[in-house]
Structure formats: C-alpha cells, structure tokens
Amino acid sequence: MGIATLAAAETGERAVDVAVVTDPEREFDLDVPVVCYADCDPESVPRPERFDAFVPRGDEASLRTQIRWLRSRAERCDHGRSRLKRLYEGTSTLIAAETTDELFARTIDIAERILAFDNSSISIDVGGSFRVSATDTATDEGDLIPLGQGILGETYRTGESKLVDDVREHGAAAPDDPAFRSVVSVPIGDIGVFQAISTEVGAYDETDRQLAELLVSYVAETAARIESEAALRESRGRIEALHRGTVELAAVTDLAELFERTVGITAEILSFDLSYIGVVEGGYIVPAATSEEFPEDGAEVKPLEDGGVAAHVHHTGQTRLVTDMAEAEDARPTKDDYRSGVSVPVGDIAVFQAAAYTPNAFDEADVELTELLMAHVAVTAERIRAEESLRDERDRSTALFEHVSDAAVAYEVDDGGTARVQSVNRAFEERFGRRAVDVVGGDLVDEIVPDDEADPLELRVAGGERHRGEVRRLAADGAREFILNVVPLDPDASDGRGYALYTDITERKRRESELERQNERLEEFANIVSHDLRNPLAVAQGHLDLARETDREESFETVANSLAQMERLIDDLLSLARQGNVVGETDAVDVATTARRAWATVETPGASLEATPTTVEADEERLAELLGNLFRNALEHGAADGDRPIAVRVGPLGGDDAGDGKEGRDGFYVEDDGVGIPPDRRERVFDPGETTGEDGIGYGLAIVSRIGDAHGWSVSVTESETGGARFEFRTGS
C-alpha cells in the first residue's frame, strides 16, 4: 500500500501511525486512521465510513496535510501517554544543543512531533528586523520580516502570548499566506518569537498555547545558556591571545610604540612577514608602523575616497580576507607582487593589513587570531588616546586654574563632611596668605570660614550642584567680602569634588556702603535744611509783617537776626556737605551760654529757660542746633494745652545742678515740665519722620540724635522730676 514509505517520509524516525490505502475496494482491519488515496467518488466507495479521509491520487500536499491532521487527532486520543509527558521527555534534546541554530531546529522538530504543530517557525530579532531562523515549511530560513509586522511584531512588543482563532478577525494580523487562519504566537524572551500557524479556523486551544509556552521556556533558558557559554569561550580566546602577545601592550602609553609592538607580535606569533598599520588622519590612511621585512616602498599614504580594501575596511568596520588580489576588483596593492592579504580595522583609529606574495596565504584561523589581537590593540589605543586627551585637558585646566585672577581652590568633601583642599592657585596664596604646602590636605572650612557661619557654601558641592553667593572669609589682612562660586567637578556626579572661586568684593562693598552713607547724609541735609530753616524763616516773616504795620525798630532787628541765623545754618550745612562730617572743630563750650543763644532763635511765648553752666567739648554751632531743636520740641509738644507756659531746664549730669561753674563729669541734660514722652515711644522719637504734632515733620529729634552721635555722646530719653521729657547726653568725660 505504500503506507510506511509515505508516512515515514513525513515523520522521520517516528513510527507509522496513519494508513494510506490506494484501493478503495480492499478490505482491511486497522486500528489506526486510514486515508483513501484514489481517484474515486467517496459516495461510490463501499462502506466509506471505513476511511477517515479521502484524497485524490496525485495530490500529495493534501495527503500530507490529512496525515498530519489525523496523526494529531490520534495523539489527542492516546490515553497511554499525554503530550505533556512526551514534551517533558522531548525537551532533553534541547538541553544538549550547543548552538542556537541547533536549538531552534530541535525546537521545530519537537513542535511537529509532539505538539502536532504542522506549520511552526522561530523568528529572531536581528536588529530592526526579524530573521526566520528555523521553520518546518517551505519558507526560506533567513528571510527578513519588519520588526513591527502583524501578530509576530505584537507578540514581541508586548511580551505576551497570543492565541488567535481567526486572523481575519484580528486587526494586527498580516499573514504571509492568505490561507492562514489560526495561530499560536509565544515570545522567546527578548530574542524572538515562536509561532504555529494553521489554515483551519480554531485549530489551537488553550492547551496548545500552554504547551507552546512550556516548550518556549526551555528554548529561552537554553538559548541564554548557549549565549553565555559562547561569550565565555570568546572571553577565554581573548585571554589566550593576550597571553600570547598582548600582555606587553597593556603597559604601552604611546600610540607609535603600540603600533610598532603590534606589527612585531604579528610577525612573531602569527608569522605575518609583511604587515603594517595605517592610522586614519584627515581623510587619509597614513602608514604608522611596518614589520621588519616590510619593503620601504611597500606602503604609502592613501585617501579614504580611493575605495581600496583598506578604505572599505575602515568605513565598514568589517574584516576583509582577499585570497587572490587578481580577483578582487577593489584591490589596489601598493606593490603589484602582493597576491593575497587580510585587512582588519583597529577600532576607528587605524587599519591593520598583512600581505603575502602568494595567493591563499591566509585562512580563517589567521583572520580570527588577527581580529582578537586587533580588538586588544583598539582597546589599548582608545585608552592611550583617552589618557592623552585627559592629560591635555588636565594641562589646560591646570593652566586656567593657576592663572585665573580670582583665588581658586580644588577640593573634595569626604565622607565625614570635611572639605579637604586638593590644590590652590597663586591668587589664593596671595589673597589668603596661606601657602599651598600648608593647606593641601587640610580642612578648607577651618582655614578660611569664620566660626560663626553655620552652613558654608563650600560644603554644598557634595550635592553635585553649583552655588553662588556673597560670603565673608578670613583673608591675609583680616575678614573680607567675597562672591563665592562653588562648581562641582562633574555636574552629573555627587562625589563631593569641585572648585571654589573667591572674587574679592571688599572694596566694592566699601564703596557701596560709603555711597549709601553719602546718600543718607544728603537726605539728612535736605531734611535739616527744610526743618531748621523753617523756624527762623517764620520768625523773620512774622516780624517783617509787624514792622510794616508798626514801623518798630525791634522787629527789623529780629528779622535781621533770623536771616543771619539762616545764613549761618546754610553756610554750616554747605560746609558739612563738602566735608562729609556732621560736626566740625570742637572746643570747650559752655552749654548754658549756647542754650541761651539758641533760646533766642525760638518762638517762646511765656516759656522760661533755666540754664546751669557746664562745659563740654563740642562744635558750638552744632550744639546750638541740637539745643534749638530740643527747645522747639518742648514748646511744640510739651504742653497739654496751649495756655500753660513751659519751663525748660539745662544742666550738668553728675555735676552741681545749682551751678558751681564746674564741668559736668558725665555730660548734660535738657528737660521740661510738659506732658513728657510715653515709655513705649521713647525708643522711636529719634527716628526720622517720627512726630506726634500736626505741624511738625518729625526730624527735630532725629537731628538731635545725629548731632549727638557725631560728637560721640550717648543720647537717652527719660522722665523729668515734674513728669516732663528729659534728654540726657553722656559725654564720657
């Protein structure tokens, strides 16, 4: 019947489990599924129920499909051994696989033999696309499929298995064959996808998916093991190569020496008589090192655009083995008698080439060993270049660090929170008066930060962030003001290393303070002028009006005195503005005499002055201004009502109030018998603009305080014996 031959061809080593009968009239007694393979109408066959399927003779594809389907049905009815058990037994072959290609081929075999998947494949991510690595269909292995295509791409992207009964109802499906209907799709870790596809709707169930997932789990684990072992073998090969010739390269610190030693190793170990290394520089490949037997005219500078083998190797980064240069279109050997060669990229730095005068002088073993060696050379070359770049950068940084005009410190905040000085520049030594040899390794904060600063900016570099702020630091000539810039060495790291740059702004701050004081004095002068000129001007205006009405000579005299007082005040203020001082030359002045002169310049209707002689060191004019302002304050604000006259007394502190003519040992006082100043206002009465009257502008007592401070006197407010205001000026004499 041809049963065994056809079924065995389909199953390989598997026992025949489907019978194929070519004579529909023949009687048989079989306990396996039977296919009628003949040119006949099934309705005309005697007892057609004897057959499980009918296939026209010559349609071998349909015959194979029916055999697979019947075999699958038979297996599902096999009570002696379940698919799960057989799957466990079959996975032992996976574990023994030594390569991924072997692993994937065995996986497809198990899927067909045990899981009865008649159309399965494994697609692997090869970078931007899937490559079909194993299949049991006519699809060519190695075919590329877009990474995001169909259920295959969705399975890989989501990392989740898919069971689709009808791809026509699945939005993402994009089957290669329009006859495909159902699919089981399982991700293989992060390397690819296993799929089983059927032309029948609903051909797979949850059991199929679970078994497929179990199978794939073994595949993923075994693939990981194979990759790990392959990496280990490769690593061991590199170690062996290093022991044979690259150990000595590890200590090389110069590119020229590295390349010279490399061609020496290829001659000694690989037996390459003619070899050289060309460095890629400015669009050219420039010979950098040649072996001893290499002819002097055997290498020349070549442009990368010439399209030769070396240029191709550099551009592609791929090794090139030329067995016969006469057959290589892009081979342009420097010498015509070069017949074969091998070219290997040295990273993106250079190209190694070995040549021979005979064809086929190099084989794959030579290529592999050369690649291993050049891999080490490339790593060493990159290290040398990085070190050279680092040295150049360090030299530039050192020069910048040393010659920057600001004081600079390189430091590191250690695990204990101490800012350890690594180096300082010359400007730091000069500004802070500390030699580098004395501060390197020491605590930067202890060296220059005042004890009263709780959170120095220098410690913040440990956070990897830059900071800027004004600080006070202990310089060579005492505490000075600086703008401190804290800059981490690496903004992306928090290793506590960085720079501190100190820009001295002490003189600028002094100029700013002086300018501020000058502005305050100018404002004060303006206030004094507006305040102190107001009263004599009012007196003069009043008496001038009176003189016009009465023609009294005394009024003209009063006007003249007021004008003279204003002239003196203006002259004095101009002098103060020019000199920048509040008081001029001081002398021994009798306070009582000066008080009486000041009293005469003030409108004092009904008020009385009692002045006890006492002498102080003072600028008489400024003292007169001080007393005049106190008198006006007493007369304007002292009385509870305007009818009761105010009595004012001036006398010494600590001296004889009765008036013995002796100097006051502690100073003098001015008091009145008015309503006084409440205790809660006594601290504020000297503030500019502070007033309780409706007519005052609040600068009288501020002027008093300023003149007293300029003399070096302390000024305080208290209460007189009669309950009025008492101002005490202590001179300290």
Side-chain angles (χ1 to χ4, degrees):
M1 293 187 295
I3 298 174
T5 300
L6 185 57
E10 288 294 317
T11 62
E13 297 178 359
R14 181 177 175 82
V16 176
D17 53 8
V18 175
V20 178
V21 177
T22 58
D23 182 4
E25 304 291 338
R26 181 170 180 172
E27 293 294 331
F28 54 82
D29 183 13
L30 299 172
D31 59 356
V32 297
V34 180
V35 177
C36 179
Y37 185 54
D39 292 325
C40 61
D41 183 357
E43 295 182 359
S44 64
V45 175
R47 292 190 297 120
E49 67 274 6
R50 296 176 300 155
F51 298 98
D52 295 276
F54 291 87
V55 177
R57 186 186 299 274
D59 190 352
E60 292 188 0
S62 296
L63 178 62
R64 292 189 184 93
T65 299
Q66 289 295 340
I67 290 174
R68 290 194 187 96
W69 186 85
L70 291 172
R71 182 185 302 123
S72 175
R73 187 183 67 177
E75 287 178 351
R76 285 195 292 269
C77 297
D78 186 357
H79 300 287
R81 181 161 40 172
S82 68
R83 283 197 299 171
L84 179 60
K85 181 178 179 181
R86 295 175 62 200
L87 179 60
Y88 277 124
E89 293 174 351
T91 53
S92 61
T93 62
L94 300 180
I95 299 174
E98 295 184 358
T99 66
T100 53
D101 288 343
E102 183 181 356
L103 170 67
F104 296 153
R106 293 183 180 185
T107 301
I108 296 300
D109 177 64
I110 290 175
E112 180 182 6
R113 288 189 301 104
I114 297 177
L115 301 185
F117 293 165
D118 55 1
N119 185 1
S120 56
S121 64
I122 291 177
S123 301
I124 299 301
D125 180 357
V126 292
S129 302
F130 286 116
R131 176 175 58 81
V132 179
S133 295
T135 179
D136 63 355
T137 67
T139 303
D140 292 335
E141 294 182 10
D143 286 354
L144 294 181
I145 304 170
L147 205 59
Q149 178 174 307
I151 298 173
L152 178 69
E154 184 179 277
T155 303
Y156 189 59
R157 184 179 65 256
T158 62
E160 298 178 355
S161 301
K162 307 293 181 185
L163 174 60
V164 179
D165 289 333
D166 193 339
V167 297
R168 293 174 297 182
E169 298 175 359
H170 194 283
D176 292 335
D177 189 332
F180 291 158
R181 291 295 179 264
S182 54
V183 61
V184 172
S185 187
V186 181
I188 307 174
D190 58 358
I191 64 172
V193 176
F194 168 85
Q195 285 192 321
I197 303 174
S198 174
T199 57
E200 298 181 13
V201 174
Y204 307 105
D205 56 19
E206 280 298 326
T207 299
D208 293 317
R209 176 161 68 173
Q210 292 171 4
L211 291 173
E213 289 175 345
L214 180 60
L215 172 62
V216 168
S217 68
Y218 282 99
V219 175
E221 292 177 5
T222 305
R225 187 262 301 167
I226 291 172
E227 291 295 332
S228 176
E229 291 176 350
L232 181 59
R233 285 193 298 271
E234 182 180 358
S235 175
R236 287 174 178 171
R238 285 180 179 271
I239 293 174
E240 291 175 1
L242 283 175
H243 279 297
R244 293 173 57 194
T246 61
V247 172
E248 63 184 70
L249 300 180
V252 176
T253 58
D254 179 75
L255 277 179
E257 181 184 356
L258 172 67
F259 295 148
E260 287 290 347
R261 291 195 181 191
T262 298
V263 295
I265 290 173
T266 60
E268 178 182 353
I269 298 177
L270 303 182
S271 300
F272 294 168
D273 296 329
L274 308 176
S275 61
Y276 101 110
I277 291 179
V279 177
V280 178
E281 294 179 351
Y284 292 88
I285 300 178
V286 182
T290 59
S291 60
E292 290 185 1
E293 297 186 19
F294 204 85
E296 293 183 2
D297 60 348
E300 61 185 6
V301 177
K302 290 190 176 183
L304 288 172
E305 291 82 4
D306 75 346
V309 173
H312 177 76
V313 167
H314 172 70
H315 286 309
T316 63
Q318 301 294 321
T319 297
R320 180 78 177 273
L321 173 61
V322 179
T323 57
D324 191 342
M325 292 187 183
E327 299 177 358
E329 294 182 359
D330 58 347
R332 298 181 181 87
T334 304
K335 295 182 70 64
D336 293 337
D337 48 359
Y338 291 161
R339 295 298 305 278
S340 60
V342 59
S343 299
V344 180
V346 183
D348 58 357
I349 296 175
V351 175
F352 169 84
Q353 286 191 304
Y357 297 120
T358 60
N360 300 303
F362 306 97
D363 57 20
E364 290 298 333
D366 294 323
V367 170
E368 182 178 355
L369 291 175
T370 306
E371 286 179 335
L372 287 173
L373 175 60
M374 295 309 146
H376 288 286
V377 173
V379 170
T380 304
E382 289 291 350
R383 187 258 300 167
I384 292 173
R385 277 196 170 181
E387 289 175 350
E388 290 177 347
S389 176
L390 184 60
R391 283 195 297 271
D392 292 343
E393 183 66 26
R394 184 168 58 246
D395 292 343
R396 289 192 296 269
S397 298
T398 299
L400 178 63
F401 179 80
E402 182 59 36
H403 293 97
V404 68
S405 59
D406 292 333
V409 182
Y411 70 101
E412 180 177 5
V413 180
D414 62 23
D415 294 339
T418 300
R420 298 291 178 189
V421 178
Q422 304 298 310
S423 62
V424 299
N425 68 348
R426 189 172 305 168
F428 181 92
E429 292 180 313
E430 294 173 354
R431 174 58 62 196
F432 288 93
R434 292 166 171 82
R435 297 184 306 163
V437 68
D438 296 327
V439 298
V440 170
D443 186 342
L444 176 62
V445 174
D446 280 351
E447 290 283 346
I448 64 174
V449 178
D451 294 337
D452 58 356
E453 186 165 338
D455 184 20
L457 283 179
E458 286 88 345
L459 297 178
R460 299 188 185 181
V461 73
E465 298 179 2
R466 62 184 306 155
H467 298 273
R468 175 185 174 91
E470 294 187 7
V471 298
R472 186 170 61 91
R473 294 292 179 262
L474 305 177
D477 54 353
R480 296 182 69 85
E481 302 292 327
F482 296 91
I483 290 178
L484 171 57
N485 277 290
V486 175
V487 183
L489 185 61
D490 183 357
D492 297 326
S494 57
D495 55 5
R497 294 188 297 162
Y499 295 97
L501 302 176
Y502 298 89
T503 304
D504 195 331
I505 59 171
T506 305
E507 295 305 320
R508 190 192 79 185
K509 297 288 285 188
R510 287 176 180 171
R511 290 194 297 271
E512 290 175 352
S513 298
E514 179 60 28
L515 180 60
E516 185 177 352
R517 286 193 296 272
Q518 290 177 0
N519 290 336
E520 291 175 353
R521 283 198 296 271
L522 288 174
E523 183 178 357
E524 182 179 24
F525 294 153
N527 292 331
I528 291 174
V529 170
S530 66
H531 185 272
D532 283 10
L533 289 179
R534 179 169 55 85
N535 284 284
L537 180 62
V539 171
Q541 288 175 338
H543 282 273
L544 183 60
D545 292 340
L546 183 62
R548 286 172 177 163
E549 295 174 1
T550 63
D551 200 25
R552 292 178 56 189
E553 189 69 26
E554 296 85 348
S555 296
F556 287 112
E557 184 178 352
T558 302
V559 171
N561 290 336
S562 295
L563 293 175
Q565 180 187 0
M566 292 171 61
E567 183 178 8
R568 288 194 303 273
L569 181 59
I570 291 172
D571 290 342
D572 290 344
L573 290 173
L574 289 174
S575 176
L576 291 174
R578 294 189 184 101
Q579 297 177 6
N581 298 316
V582 176
V583 298
E585 295 294 330
T586 62
D587 202 353
V589 178
D590 179 35
V591 177
T593 301
T594 306
R596 283 189 286 271
R597 182 162 68 86
W599 185 263
T601 66
V602 181
E603 292 282 354
T604 58
S608 62
L609 171 68
E610 179 183 340
T612 302
T614 182
T615 303
V616 296
E617 279 288 326
D619 178 336
E620 186 175 1
E621 294 303 320
R622 301 287 77 74
L623 177 59
E625 291 177 33
L626 180 149
L627 294 170
N629 276 293
L630 287 174
F631 296 158
R632 281 189 290 273
N633 184 75
L635 295 171
E636 292 176 0
H637 308 299
D641 55 64
D643 296 334
R644 187 176 70 80
I646 293 295
V648 179
R649 295 182 63 199
V650 179
L653 289 175
D656 185 359
D657 286 0
D660 59 5
K662 297 182 179 180
E663 295 182 0
R665 290 190 300 273
D666 297 321
F668 64 94
Y669 68 87
V670 178
E671 66 179 14
D672 61 56
D673 61 352
V675 297
I677 299 174
D680 60 347
R681 291 192 61 243
R682 291 174 185 172
E683 294 295 327
R684 305 197 310 272
V685 294
F686 296 116
D687 295 340
E690 179 69 20
T691 182
T692 58
E694 296 180 357
D695 298 329
I697 61 174
Y699 281 97
L701 294 183
I703 296 171
V704 168
S705 174
R706 180 61 186 270
I707 295 174
D709 290 342
H711 281 86
W713 304 335
S714 63
V715 185
S716 60
V717 183
T718 183
E719 186 176 317
S720 67
E721 293 181 356
T722 59
R726 178 183 172 97
F727 295 84
E728 296 181 348
F729 299 85
R730 300 190 181 277
T731 63
S733 61

